[in-house]
Amino acid sequence: MLVGMLDRVRATLPLKASAVFLESKKRRARLRDVARVVRSQASRGRKFSLRVNSDLSMALSMLRKHHEDNWVGEILEAVWRRMFERRELIVFELWAVEDGVEKMVAADFGHPHSAFGFYVATRFFDRDYKTCMPGFILAFAEAEVLSRLGFGFWDLGGTNSSPMMSYKPQVALELSRTDFLDLLAEAHRHAKTCTMPAPRAIEPGVVVAEIGEQDLWSAAVCKEGGAASAHKAPAAPKASKVPKVPKQPKQTKETKPAPVAPSPAAATPASSARARFHG
């Protein structure tokens, strides 16, 4: 639980919160762009595959190349290799497949935490494929796989106004420390009481052989929402203005009614963070 105390704002994607995620126009636009790129690249003969733990050495080499000031040094790499052998380190890899040639173009390094969460420590993408948005394709495909396996949230760690973190609000929600701790508490409660089945293991190998729109988290909901808004009924005409009612004379102290105490329902927020993030 101490991890939640480290950041004032945490980039986290509750995997049951499609509606909350899609409230943002920018996030809807990003998800639609990713779906469009997946379609257009497939029509040109380039397809994308999602894999897990297929080549750690290659992934680490590409991570060093992407981040010139990479904080993953020799000691941490040694720790990760040990974790990798124990299947504690999970590397989600995005591969581009074109004309029989396969190439790793993005990867996320992470591990499960807090019973229902998956934490991403760092990530990279191949800048030669920047126009294909490999980092975003990986993000939404990975989130979909985690959701299908029964995970509750995808955790990208702290976020701020740094350019290196500008992608985070496009693929996750920016949770306050309080909301993130609420999310962790709920996950631990489910684990302790067994009210939800534990997530299934993330197995190494090819997870999605050919990524399509259906393999992108919330893409279907986003598409349905767009179709619904495009066919919604026209707005009703504005009603004519109602004439103003004359002000009543001011009540005296003797005739002024006693204040009405607020009802418990009125004192309670309309929706708590837990209700919004857990469906």
Side-chain angles (χ1 to χ4, degrees), residues 144-162:
E144 177 63 17
V145 167
L146 291 171
S147 178
R148 292 176 185 177
L149 289 173
F151 283 84
F153 60 96
W154 187 56
D155 180 14
L156 295 177
T159 186
N160 54 41
S161 58
S162 164

Side-chain angles (χ1 to χ4, degrees), residues 7-231:
D7 303 292
R8 293 182 65 183
V9 180
R10 194 91 176 179
T12 307
L13 179 63
L15 296 171
K16 294 182 180 179
S18 292
V20 181
F21 179 85
L22 295 173
E23 287 174 0
S24 164
K25 184 177 180 180
K26 289 184 178 180
R27 288 195 292 261
R28 292 197 305 271
R30 174 58 68 189
L31 182 52
R32 286 169 183 156
D33 282 345
V34 173
R36 175 184 52 78
V37 167
V38 167
R39 291 194 306 271
S40 65
Q41 291 294 304
S43 67
R44 298 173 188 175
R46 177 183 288 166
K47 300 174 183 178
F48 295 97
S49 171
L50 183 64
R51 306 175 188 182
V52 168
N53 289 12
S54 71
D55 194 330
L56 178 61
S57 295
M58 180 186 291
L60 287 171
S61 175
M62 295 185 72
L63 177 66
R64 294 188 214 102
K65 181 180 178 181
H66 181 79
H67 295 290
E68 294 179 356
D69 56 346
N70 183 25
W71 53 267
V72 180
E74 294 181 0
I75 295 176
L76 183 54
E77 279 194 20
V79 172
W80 278 4
R81 289 186 184 278
R82 191 67 181 272
M83 291 175 64
F84 189 84
E85 293 171 359
R86 298 176 177 179
R87 293 192 180 184
E88 295 172 351
L89 177 71
I90 303 295
V91 183
F92 278 100
E93 309 156 358
L94 184 73
W95 289 71
V97 183
E98 188 175 11
D99 297 329
V101 178
E102 300 180 337
K103 184 178 181 181
M104 188 189 299
V105 295
D108 283 354
F109 299 75
H111 56 82
H113 82 88
S114 303
F116 291 93
F118 185 87
Y119 172 67
V120 176
T122 189
R123 64 199 322 254
F124 76 84
F125 69 91
D126 188 333
R127 289 187 175 90
D128 291 340
Y129 288 76
K130 185 176 181 179
T131 56
C132 301
M133 300 193 290
F136 288 106
I137 295 175
L138 174 61
F140 289 114
E142 180 181 330
E144 177 63 17
V145 167
L146 291 171
S147 178
R148 292 176 185 177
L149 289 173
F151 283 84
F153 60 96
W154 187 56
D155 180 14
L156 295 177
T159 186
N160 54 41
S161 58
S162 164
M164 292 294 291
M165 296 192 181
S166 61
Y167 73 93
K168 291 187 178 183
Q170 301 179 59
V171 297
L173 304 181
E174 293 179 286
L175 303 189
S176 67
R177 183 181 299 164
T178 300
D179 284 340
F180 183 68
L181 288 174
D182 181 67
L183 196 68
L184 289 183
E186 187 76 352
H188 284 288
R189 184 183 69 80
H190 283 306
K192 186 176 181 179
T193 59
C194 299
T195 50
M196 286 178 62
R200 299 191 299 280
I202 303 170
E203 299 292 346
V206 178
V207 182
V208 183
E210 183 180 328
I211 296 174
E213 286 185 76
Q214 72 279 2
D215 301 305
L216 302 174
W217 183 83
S218 286
V221 179
C222 185
K223 190 174 182 179
E224 290 169 3
S229 61
H231 294 88

